[in-house]
Structure formats: C-alpha cells, structure tokens
Amino acid sequence: MFKRLRERLPKQKTSEELDEHYRQMEEIKLEKGDLPAMLIAAFLTLGIPLLLVAGALYGIIYLILAR
C-alpha cells in the first residue's frame, strides 16, 4: 500500500532541474490586466466569505443582546 503512495510523490530533482524550473518561473510575464483580475478573484474568493461570516456573527450577537 505505501509503495503505491510513495510512487505518487514527486521525485527528487537535481540542482540543474531546479535551476531550470526557477528560471522558467522568472521568465513568466504578466499581461496588462492580470493584476486587477487577480485582485478581483482574491476578493471574490476571500473577501465575500469573510464578510458573510462577520455578518452572521453580528446577526447572532444582535439577536442575543437585543431584547
């Protein structure tokens, strides 16, 4: 069982392969509208759920303390 799981793990890379990987990462250039798109996606992914949780907590506290 563990042999199959161990086969799925990434293999150890040589320093040359790691250097090539990091070089390719540095060569990636962003397009003009990428930053606003990433900010909007981050807000949709993180901001809205956080606002919903904060609103739910506020509502519960309001219902408990407002008699």
Side-chain angles (χ1 to χ4, degrees):
M1 179 177 155
F2 290 114
K3 183 178 182 183
R4 280 190 288 144
L5 292 176
R6 199 174 292 141
E7 289 174 356
R8 292 184 181 184
L9 290 174
K11 305 291 185 248
Q12 295 292 337
K13 296 189 184 262
T14 64
S15 62
E16 293 85 16
E17 291 173 332
L18 288 175
D19 290 339
E20 176 68 20
H21 175 71
Y22 292 136
R23 187 186 61 75
Q24 287 178 354
M25 286 177 55
E26 290 175 354
E27 288 180 359
I28 295 174
K29 302 289 185 217
L30 296 178
E31 293 181 8
K32 185 176 181 181
D34 283 348
L35 182 63
M38 287 188 284
L39 292 175
I40 291 169
F43 174 73
L44 291 175
T45 304
L46 301 173
I48 292 177
L50 286 175
L51 289 174
L52 289 174
V53 169
L57 288 174
Y58 176 78
I60 291 170
I61 291 171
Y62 177 77
L63 288 176
I64 291 172
L65 297 178
R67 292 184 180 211

